[in-house]
Amino acid sequence: MNARLKALTTTTLAALGITQAAESEPAAPVVVEGEIVEDPADEPADPAPADDAAAEAEAAAADADVAAAITLAATQSAAKATAAANARWADVLGSDAAKGRTAQATALLANTALDAAGVKAALAAFPKEAAATFADRMAGVENPPVTAGAGGDENAAKAGNYGWDNVVAKAFPKTAAK
């Protein structure tokens, strides 16, 4: 493994919380978040490669193993972060503090790094949204005046007949009564 790749691997593993022993040190177990992932003491020592092609193949396999370990650690870390975020949202939105303050709760959850308890405390300072019913909303709308018109039933009958007369005249122009 060349020096640049080794430095990159070491930096990436350290960033993900994976520790490995240096090559000059005796083989030590690989530890990920406090759990032993690989213990070299359990494995027999690898024999020395016979030629350069075998050494390169072994180095490529080792690089692939390191890449797989990095990918696995990153995936597990992302999964834990997603689960923690989902739990935070569920805790806050399911609480009594969020009832009637859903818009504020959503804004605080999305735009701050507060934990669930901090968001709930902040929500307590907001007034609850008024629960508007359909009747409440309709009471605030002015209705137009609607009347039957002058003449009562005669005008209503004429309007109805006039409408049907026009429909019949358009549908059957030769037979329509005039």
Side-chain angles (χ1 to χ4, degrees), residues 22 31-32 79 93-94 101 119-120 148 164 169:
V31 179
V32 177
L93 292 177
R101 302 177 183 105
V119 172
K120 288 179 197 175
W164 281 110

Side-chain angles (χ1 to χ4, degrees), residues 105-125:
T106 303
L108 286 171
L109 285 165
N111 299 317
T112 66
L114 293 173
D115 62 350
V119 172
K120 288 179 197 175
L123 285 173

Side-chain angles (χ1 to χ4, degrees), residues 1-118:
M1 192 180 319
N2 65 29
R4 182 172 176 219
L5 180 60
K6 188 173 186 174
L8 176 65
T9 303
T10 304
T11 305
T12 306
L13 291 173
L16 293 172
I18 301 172
T19 58
Q20 261 184 323
E23 281 186 19
S24 61
E25 298 176 8
V30 176
V31 179
V32 177
E33 295 181 4
E35 184 177 320
I36 296 177
V37 174
E38 184 178 315
D39 191 356
D42 295 341
E43 300 173 10
D46 292 333
D51 59 4
D52 287 340
E56 286 180 24
E58 187 176 321
D63 291 347
D65 289 345
V66 169
I70 291 171
T71 302
L72 177 64
T75 303
Q76 289 174 343
S77 178
K80 286 180 183 177
T82 301
N86 288 344
R88 176 177 165 250
W89 278 73
D91 185 23
V92 170
L93 292 177
S95 71
D96 289 336
K99 289 182 181 158
R101 302 177 183 105
T102 307
Q104 294 89 347
T106 303
L108 286 171
L109 285 165
N111 299 317
T112 66
L114 293 173
D115 62 350

Side-chain angles (χ1 to χ4, degrees), residues 134-152:
F134 179 74
D136 294 338
R137 291 181 182 171
M138 289 306 295
V141 175
E142 185 176 328
N143 294 322
V146 178
T147 61

